Structures are given as structure tokens and as C-alpha cells.
Amino acid sequence: MRRLLPLAAGVLTGVLALAGCSGGGGSSDSAPGPSSAGSGATGSSSAGSGGTGSVSPAPTPSRATQAPSPEERACYRLSYAQAVAPTTAAHSVPCGRSHTSMTFAVGRLAAVVDGHLLAVDSRRVQQQVATTCPRRLTSYVGGTADDLRLSMLRSVWFTPTVAQSDAGQDWFRCDVIAVAADGRLAPLAPRMAGVLGTSQGQDRFGMCGTAEPGAADFARVVCSRPHSWRAVQVVHLTGGSYPGTAAARDAGQGPCQDAGRAAAADTLDFRWGYQWPTRQQWADGQHYGLCWVPD
């Protein structure tokens, strides 16, 4: 179970100069394109058991044994490692001060099945949160689902520890973070609600690159950091199963070439890039590619 999905790794780039074009891409279904791009948000497994978890009769704890749930709109100064951990003991900080995480939703775990209580670190309980928090993020930060995919904003989530769960705590907490670069978080705005519904928010938290996609020194960074390329369009791939590297690559060539032309001052002399998902990323739920242009 991944707490942050890796981003597209297959790479195709093109240069159109006086109607001439060149590009390259991968050819294996099981491997990325010719140059694997560094992920702006690395995948991290949950610390849960990975199995069905222990099952015991559901207790009925009194209100006195239950600690208060986390508060929505609370802010935290977390490191990247703290943000991708399954539990947290960090204290909140005023949202007017520098912070890297903000709680946008709090809910209750559905841990009782057929009268029995599943362990908080069981796969079924963790999957509930892993599905709910990313789904709620778009409505909180505003914009469209594609605006979120073109940004470095991500959802992370926390549950009680096993000991806290045994004491009766049954909350889960959804936080929004901004990945600044691989393994680092960026400061958030004092107010994150609806931020991607504004051009300023899209510019600040957009997905950018330090070099042309596929280059040795390419890395994804948040657009508020120095950069030279920007992800500008999502290419949706259809079908229930992975289409294969060639089909995934070819699906983005036309749309990304058009995106490069639209962003260039000279429609006969421009550059563009395209990244598509690998087979593993497709299995993890990423069914789209990204178009890049110089910025």
C-alpha cells in the first residue's frame, strides 16, 4: 500500500524546428522509457501489517478513555519522513507560522466487521483511509482533478497507534502537503482551501522540472523553486489493463506536441516533453501521462 504514488517515469521528448521533429521512447512493457525521471514524491509503504490483521471482539470503550480527535484546519511542521509515516505525535503550530502540513479532513475508522474489531494496522482498515483521503483532497484544494495532478500537492494520512486504538481511539486524519523536491516538503500557504482554483496557487504549487524531462539532471520540484520546465497538460489513458509502453507513449505525442506549440512564441520552433506511467504505476492507479514545456 503506497502512501504517495510515484509519478510518471516513461519519457518522450521532441523538438520541432521548421517542421522537423525528433523524439525517442521506451519499448519494453515492464520498464520505464529510455531515461527514468526522478519522482517528485517517492512511494512509501504503510507500516501496517499488510495482512488481514488480528480480529477480536469489539470493545465498547467509555468516552473517558477516548482522547479527542485531531482538529480540522490544524497545521503542523513535519519533515518528509514524518509526513509519510502511518502515525504521528507532532504538535500543531499556528497556521500563520511556517508549516508543511495541514489537516483538511477528520473521520472515523470503520473497523468493526461482523461484530469484531479489526486491528488499526490491518490492510482493510488502512485501505479505507488510503482511499478516502486522496478522494477528498480535490474538493478541498479546489480546481479540477487535472489541476491536482499537475501540482505537487499530495494527501497523507494518519491513524492512531495500536496502543491508542486499544484504548478506544478510532479517528483518521487527512493532511495536505506540498512536495518541494524528492524527499523534501515545501511550506504551505496560511489558507489552503481552494488554492488550486486560483492562478496564483497553481503557479506556487505546480509541478515543474529542473531540466528537460529525461535529462540526467532532471528532477521534479514545486514551481515556487528554480526550474526550467513545467507540466502543463494531463493525457488520459483508457482501459482497465495497462495498454503497453508503446501505446502509452504514442497516446501523448500528439497532445504534448500541441501543448508545446501553444506555449511557444514560434509555432515552427518549439520543444515539448511527455511522461507516461509504467506498468507498476498503472497498477497503483496512475492512468495518465503528463505533457511538459519549457518555462
Side-chain angles (χ1 to χ4, degrees):
M1 187 184 302
R2 297 183 183 273
R3 294 179 62 81
L4 284 178
L5 289 179
L7 302 173
V11 180
L12 176 68
T13 58
V15 178
L16 185 67
L18 300 179
C21 179
S22 64
S27 59
S28 170
D29 284 356
S30 60
S35 181
S36 179
S39 172
T42 57
S44 174
S45 297
S46 161
S49 62
T52 59
S54 60
V55 179
S56 59
T60 55
S62 68
R63 290 183 180 273
T65 64
Q66 291 184 306
S69 298
E71 294 184 2
E72 291 189 16
R73 309 303 182 261
C75 297
Y76 301 85
R77 190 179 296 118
L78 303 182
S79 67
Y80 185 91
Q82 289 174 316
V84 298
T87 63
T88 180
H91 296 288
S92 62
V93 299
C95 293
R97 298 181 183 177
S98 177
H99 61 282
T100 56
S101 178
M102 176 182 287
T103 301
F104 66 89
V106 174
R108 294 291 177 187
L109 297 170
V112 178
V113 179
D114 296 330
H116 294 276
L117 182 67
L118 299 179
V120 69
D121 60 350
S122 68
R123 180 174 294 277
R124 180 164 180 166
V125 172
Q126 291 293 318
Q127 186 62 43
Q128 173 199 352
V129 190
T131 301
T132 301
C133 291
R135 186 177 66 242
R136 292 186 181 180
L137 182 59
T138 301
S139 61
Y140 176 67
V141 296
T144 66
D146 282 356
D147 290 330
L148 181 59
R149 290 165 177 154
L150 292 170
S151 80
M152 295 296 274
L153 295 182
R154 299 291 180 267
S155 173
V156 293
W157 49 91
F158 304 96
T159 59
T161 65
V162 172
Q164 290 169 334
S165 177
D166 289 344
Q169 298 185 39
D170 63 351
W171 50 265
F172 67 86
R173 169 181 140 194
C174 307
D175 282 21
V176 58
I177 61 171
V179 180
D182 195 10
R184 299 184 62 184
L185 299 184
L188 298 181
R191 175 180 170 83
M192 293 297 293
V195 69
L196 290 185
T198 68
S199 57
Q200 296 90 339
Q202 292 172 9
D203 286 342
R204 175 173 177 176
F205 296 110
M207 181 187 298
C208 286
T210 54
E212 179 180 349
D217 55 346
F218 171 83
R220 288 181 185 81
V221 295
V222 69
C223 289
S224 56
R225 293 170 66 97
H227 63 275
S228 57
W229 284 68
R230 180 187 293 262
V232 295
Q233 184 173 328
V234 175
V235 177
H236 296 275
L237 305 174
T238 59
S241 58
Y242 186 61
T245 297
R249 177 194 62 214
D250 293 346
Q253 182 160 352
C256 293
Q257 182 172 322
D258 291 343
R261 180 183 291 109
D266 186 344
T267 59
L268 295 179
D269 186 2
F270 59 89
R271 302 166 69 192
W272 53 273
Y274 171 56
Q275 293 182 309
W276 63 88
T278 63
R279 184 180 294 276
Q280 181 58 56
Q281 289 162 344
W282 181 277
D284 289 334
Q286 183 182 322
H287 296 178
Y288 60 88
L290 298 174
C291 297
W292 292 77
V293 299
D295 188 45

